[in-house]
């Protein structure tokens, strides 16, 4: 039920940019922790934090991307571009700056 609410509706540019900004911060933190992880040291806990930082925002980011695609009237199947390295950055930049399509309401 909660997931259905997260994936329903539309997301504008500002909302998507906020999630995109927090995703970038999470990835920078994740890369920092993974570079300071040693399997032979007591810093193995950093690996746990690295994966935790990756998993916590995963579903909300996918949800806002789906809502942003709906706002642009693009098929939700294009979300697979999030999982292709390099292309995902270009895809998110496009989603960040593309103007949403207006919905005409029949009166």
């Amino acid at each position: 039920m909660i997931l259905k609410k997260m994936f329903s509706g539309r997301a504008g540019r500002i909302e998507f940019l906020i999630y995109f900004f927090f995703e970038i911060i999470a990835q920078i933190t994740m890369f920092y922790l993974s570079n300071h992880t040693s399997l032979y040291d007591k810093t193995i806990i950093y690996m746990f934090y690295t994966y935790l930082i990756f998993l916590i925002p995963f579903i909300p980011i996918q949800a806002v991307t789906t809502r942003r695609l709906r706002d642009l009237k693009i098929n939700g199947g294009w979300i697979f571009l999030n999982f292709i390295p390099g292309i995902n950055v270009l895809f998110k930049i496009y989603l960040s700056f593309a103007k949403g399509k207006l919905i005409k309401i029949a009166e």
Side-chain angles (χ1 to χ4, degrees):
M1 187 90 170
I2 293 173
L3 287 178
K4 186 175 180 179
K5 288 184 179 183
M6 286 177 66
F7 284 89
S8 64
R10 298 169 61 180
R13 286 185 280 187
I14 302 293
E15 181 182 0
F16 186 79
L17 278 170
I18 291 170
Y19 276 92
F20 188 38
F21 176 72
F22 283 116
E23 180 184 16
I24 290 171
I25 291 174
Q27 287 181 357
I28 290 170
T29 305
M30 185 175 62
F31 288 133
Y32 174 78
L33 289 175
S34 66
N35 287 336
H36 290 83
T37 301
S38 173
L39 296 175
Y40 305 108
D41 206 343
K42 290 186 179 183
T43 59
I44 193 74
I45 194 74
Y46 288 138
M47 188 177 289
F48 170 74
Y49 290 134
T50 301
Y51 291 122
L52 190 66
I53 289 170
F54 173 75
L55 288 175
I56 287 174
F58 182 76
I59 292 177
I61 289 168
Q62 300 309 316
V64 76
T65 303
T66 303
R67 292 194 322 259
R68 182 69 181 139
L69 288 170
R70 193 172 295 127
D71 185 47
L72 295 172
K73 295 197 185 239
I74 299 174
N75 187 353
W78 286 96
I79 199 166
F80 78 90
L81 291 175
N82 274 341
F83 304 105
I84 302 173
I87 294 176
N88 64 349
V89 174
L90 298 173
F91 179 62
K92 288 184 180 184
I93 290 171
Y94 169 73
L95 291 177
S96 298
F97 296 108
K99 288 189 176 184
K101 309 289 186 210
L102 295 176
I103 295 178
K104 293 183 181 179
I105 299 173
E107 295 181 14

